[in-house]
Amino acid sequence: MWQDIQAAPADSILGLTEAFRNDPSVQKVNLGVGVYKDETGKTPILKCVKAAEKILLEQEATKSYLPISGDPLYAAEVQKLLFGKSAEVIISGRAVTAHAPGGTGALRVGGDLLKKFYPDAKVWLSNPTWANHKGVFKTAGFELAEYDYYNPASRAVDFSAMVDSLENIPADDIVLFHACCHNPSGVDLTPAQWKEVAAIGKDKGWIPFLDFAYQGFGEGVEADRCGIEEFAATGIDFFVASSFSKNFGLYNERVGALTIVSPTAQEAAVAMSHLKTTIRVIYSNPPAHGGLVVSTILSNPKLHAQWLGELAGMRDRIKAMRVALVKGLAARGVEGDFSSIANQRGMFSFSGLSSDIVVWLRSNKSIYVVGGGRINLAGLTKANIDYVCDAIAEGLRQ
Ligand code: LMR
């Protein structure tokens, strides 16, 4: 069957992890995939997760199917995290949430659902964006387009170009945003800019779809949701894909959610009915464990507080590594201004390293960086930062 078929290329991010695993170098450093590592280079299980799992082990009474949209307690906790405990959207019942297998699962379910009702819509992605956004929405059958976002010269959001793009997107097209911690650039909109973007969305009638994979990795869980709050305040229809891979460290449990916000509770109920028919034919109903862990933590005041503390610990360590990288490169007299790395948010940074340097770092130093120069700062530790800074300095002198 496969004799005349060419092999598919490796995934640009997860394929790098495979190559990293097979690299025998003892000094190898993985700055590729967006996975948090602690100071010892390990991806730990959060203490609040272990505590929740202990509770579940003792109290879980059945492994029967969950409802198609998942556990209602999980959906309620996800909404509180997204909008705030007593948000109007929650009280009015105009948001519905389904537990999806990870952020990617939520994006794809949302894509499949939208395709049913907007078969001719284009999906607009930020330039640049996470490589898998293209795969997900293309495979859901959409034509893709790009709106302006990042300016490599200023290493910042080109907001006026972005506004120009957004104002020219027709009604009923779909516009994908990174709610915080833009992947790959690490540069986000300010609260005032979110307000403006939400107003354009309302005015133009396109459908916002917010990918929220890093809540808590920017400034904190509340500050990071300001884009969601601005869209909620407009009263228009929009979608949010949440992921709890990073902020709960639950990568391999595939735990995320798709939330659909509508102008009224009646419309939201219709949205949920179609969301369920979409899910039923893909994976029928979600895997329980990760969702149960998240809802156990969020609904328990002690565990909730512990989680916020652990999340802050991850955020602060990444910020410290940003500063250390900038200082390390400056101390080695590396040419070029890398100072913007310290101000970017989330796990990633567009380092400004060229494709040649990215290839050189991998071949000569076993340092893995995603093509385009995206660095995962969480892969840096006190033990490897000097090695990485030396390697970048040497690479740039070649
Ligand atoms: C990343 O961008 O590295 C992460 O979101 C992991 C992934 O699935 O690509």
Side-chain angles (χ1 to χ4, degrees), residues 9 46 59 170 234 323 360 394:
L46 298 187
Q59 295 182 359
T234 62
V323 174
W360 187 88
E394 189 184 331

Side-chain angles (χ1 to χ4, degrees), residues 126-351:
S126 65
N127 178 20
T129 196
W130 181 46
N132 212 28
H133 281 151
K134 295 185 183 162
V136 165
F137 288 100
K138 202 168 150 218
T139 310
F142 288 104
E143 194 183 323
L144 306 180
E146 282 183 336
Y147 62 86
D148 287 327
Y149 187 78
Y150 181 71
N151 179 347
S154 61
R155 299 193 180 176
V157 177
D158 187 343
F159 191 61
S160 63
M162 182 182 182
V163 165
D164 277 353
S165 303
L166 296 179
E167 280 181 337
N168 286 304
I169 296 177
D172 296 343
D173 271 5
I174 298 147
V175 187
L176 193 109
F177 297 97
H178 299 236
C180 72
C181 306
H182 186 268
N183 175 5
S185 73
V187 296
D188 284 340
L189 299 183
T190 64
Q193 289 171 335
W194 274 119
K195 199 183 231 358
E196 207 173 322
V197 164
I200 299 170
K202 182 171 181 168
D203 183 41
K204 296 290 165 189
W206 36 253
I207 303 163
F209 197 147
L210 288 97
D211 184 354
F212 207 7
Y214 294 89
Q215 186 173 8
F217 275 86
E219 301 301 321
V221 289
E222 290 178 18
D224 289 355
R225 67 179 175 225
C226 84
I228 310 277
E229 288 172 335
E230 289 301 343
F231 277 108
T234 62
I236 63 174
D237 293 281
F238 68 100
F239 286 52
V240 184
S242 308
S243 165
F244 300 123
S245 297
K246 332 278 174 173
N247 49 13
F248 284 83
L250 285 168
Y251 305 90
N252 67 7
E253 298 295 352
R254 309 310 298 137
V255 49
L258 180 68
T259 297
I260 304 178
V261 182
S262 309
T264 64
Q266 286 81 350
E267 288 159 278
V270 176
M272 179 50 108
S273 71
H274 288 287
L275 181 51
K276 287 200 275 196
T277 61
T278 306
I279 290 171
R280 174 65 171 142
V281 294
I282 309 179
Y283 55 86
S284 189
N285 48 76
H289 184 73
L292 285 171
V293 169
V294 167
S295 57
T296 301
I297 293 170
L298 292 178
S299 61
N300 175 317
K302 208 172 128 219
L303 293 181
H304 195 137
Q306 186 178 12
W307 170 63
L308 289 175
E310 290 185 89
L311 180 55
M314 293 193 276
R315 181 173 67 238
D316 291 346
R317 200 190 86 71
I318 296 173
K319 283 189 176 163
M321 284 300 116
R322 288 183 178 279
V323 174
L325 180 62
V326 173
K327 279 194 181 151
L329 294 177
R332 284 158 182 82
V334 171
E335 269 182 41
D337 180 14
F338 289 91
S339 60
S340 53
I341 293 176
N343 307 323
Q344 295 164 350
R345 290 153 36 115
M347 272 191 194
F348 305 118
S349 165
F350 248 1
S351 59

Side-chain angles (χ1 to χ4, degrees), residues 11 13-14 32-35 104 130 132 183 214 246 348 370 374:
D11 183 79
I13 296 174
L14 299 185
V33 66
V35 170
T104 304
W130 181 46
N132 212 28
N183 175 5
Y214 294 89
K246 332 278 174 173
F348 305 118
V370 176
R374 186 193 84 171

